[in-house]
């Protein structure tokens, strides 16, 4: 989008199409806004910027553009369409970049945010595809028409758009997947008191819960207590021997 706006290190290497003549040592870079000229070794100057710049206005090599793409031709609006699609893609990319931080890190409704991001990413992907197709059509048509020792090739801006298209396609799949397969995070609800009480385990007085390592509770039934039950230490002593637990009581006899 910003290729050729100024004769700087990065901007001078971004162009949609380039034509060069090794015999005259001339070079022209054709961009969305203007053209840049110079020698094959380096770019010396860039022309005045115009919105939806038509390459037919380029000196020396503008006449190589087929008549249908020249101003007033049947396909002259392709330059406007190319400029509009690239501008739309840049605006959508900036919007996606701004929305990605609050939607991914602050928004609780992940399904809704993923849907919004997926829509914007797919729109940007479609705009980028349209820009690539129109750019290639213009570049190939222009390069076929060059003569007199001039040669042309598609520029770095086309390959940059191809990389952006691949990144947008991957992002579209990621956002669509998070939108379709996002987990339902429902809030914790309080159930019916009667159902909650019915779900709780009940124990009899002679039962006590024991924790089960596998989960849940297991009950152990204790034997009912009886009055005649005696432990091992309460066995009655043999006949004729005093009991260790009960001392004999001597009652004096009054005569």
């Amino acid at each position: 989008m910003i290729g050729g706006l100024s004769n700087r290190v990065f901007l001078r290497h971004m162009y949609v199409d380039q034509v060069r003549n090794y015999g005259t040592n001339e070079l022209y870079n054709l961009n969305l806004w203007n053209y840049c000229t110079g020698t094959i070794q380096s770019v010396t100057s860039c022309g005045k910027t115009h919105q939806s710049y038509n390459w037919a206005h380029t000196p020396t090599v503008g006449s190589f553009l087929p008549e249908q793409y020249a101003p007033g031709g049947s396909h002259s609006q392709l330059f406007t369409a190319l400029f509009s699609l690239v501008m739309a893609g840049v605006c959508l990319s900036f919007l996606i970049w701004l929305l990605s931080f609050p939607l991914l890190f602050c928004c609780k409704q992940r399904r809704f945010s993923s849907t919004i991001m997926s829509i914007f990413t797919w729109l940007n992907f479609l705009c980028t595809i349209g820009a690539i197709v129109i750019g290639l059509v213009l570049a190939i048509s222009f390069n076929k028409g060059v003569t007199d020792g001039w040669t042309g090739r598609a520029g770095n801006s086309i390959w940059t758009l191809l990389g952006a298209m691949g990144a947008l396609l991957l992002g579209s799949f990621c956002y669509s997947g998070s939108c379709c397969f996002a987990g339902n995070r429902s809030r914790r609800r309080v159930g019916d008191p009667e159902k909650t009480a019915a779900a709780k385990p009940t124990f009899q007085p002679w039962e006590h819960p024991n924790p089960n390592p596998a989960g849940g509770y297991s009950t152990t039934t204790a034997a009912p207590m009886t009055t005649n039950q005696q432990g091992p230490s309460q066995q009655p002593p043999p006949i004729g021997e005093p009991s260790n637990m009960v001392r004999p009581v001597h009652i004096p006899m009054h005569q």
Side-chain angles (χ1 to χ4, degrees):
M1 188 66 192
I2 60 177
L5 291 179
S6 178
N7 186 16
R8 297 184 182 276
V9 176
F10 175 75
L11 300 180
R12 71 167 65 105
H13 295 290
M14 301 301 297
Y15 45 86
V16 181
D17 191 72
Q18 182 186 82
V19 289
R20 58 178 65 187
N21 191 329
Y22 289 96
T24 59
N25 195 20
E26 291 181 279
L27 177 143
Y28 285 91
N29 292 337
L30 307 176
N31 308 302
L32 296 175
W33 296 88
N34 57 359
Y35 72 93
C36 295
T37 184
T39 63
I40 296 178
Q41 289 76 21
S42 63
V43 175
T44 57
S45 63
C46 294
K48 187 178 180 180
T49 58
H50 299 278
Q51 181 180 350
S52 303
Y53 177 72
N54 193 304
W55 298 345
H57 296 296
T58 307
T60 307
V61 297
S63 59
F64 296 146
L65 185 68
E67 294 182 358
Q68 63 267 26
Y69 302 110
S74 59
H75 303 299
S76 61
Q77 298 300 322
L78 287 179
F79 289 96
T80 303
L82 176 62
F83 183 87
S84 302
L85 289 174
V86 175
M87 178 66 74
V90 171
C91 295
L92 285 173
S93 298
F94 184 71
L95 179 62
I96 292 171
W97 180 74
L98 289 180
L99 294 178
S100 60
F101 294 101
L103 290 180
L104 292 179
F105 297 104
C106 302
C107 184
K108 297 182 180 179
Q109 300 293 333
R110 294 296 178 87
R111 185 182 295 273
F112 175 76
S113 62
S114 298
T115 303
I116 297 298
M117 296 295 289
S118 177
I119 293 174
F120 287 155
T121 310
W122 278 112
L123 289 177
N124 198 355
F125 173 74
L126 295 177
C127 291
T128 306
I129 288 182
I132 291 174
V133 172
I134 296 176
L136 286 176
V137 169
L138 293 175
I140 294 173
S141 299
F142 186 84
N143 295 335
K144 286 183 177 180
V146 296
T147 56
D148 299 333
W150 291 89
T151 58
R153 64 176 183 178
N156 297 328
S157 297
I158 298 294
W159 315 125
T160 304
L161 289 175
L162 285 174
M165 182 190 68
L168 290 171
L169 180 62
L170 179 61
S172 302
F173 284 142
C174 292
Y175 281 119
S176 299
S178 61
C179 171
C180 298
F181 301 103
N184 296 324
R185 299 183 178 181
S186 58
R187 296 182 178 180
R188 185 177 298 177
R189 299 179 180 178
V190 179
D192 190 358
E194 296 181 358
K195 296 181 179 180
T196 304
K200 293 182 178 180
T202 56
F203 306 100
Q204 298 297 330
W206 57 83
E207 297 179 350
H208 58 85
N210 293 328
N212 190 355
Y217 290 92
S218 62
T219 58
T220 303
T221 305
M225 299 297 294
T226 58
T227 55
N228 296 330
Q229 182 179 1
Q230 294 180 354
S233 61
Q234 298 179 358
Q235 295 294 332
I239 300 175
E241 296 182 3
S243 174
N244 295 329
M245 299 180 62
V246 182
R247 295 181 178 180
V249 180
H250 298 276
I251 301 175
M253 301 296 294
H254 298 279
Q255 295 179 355

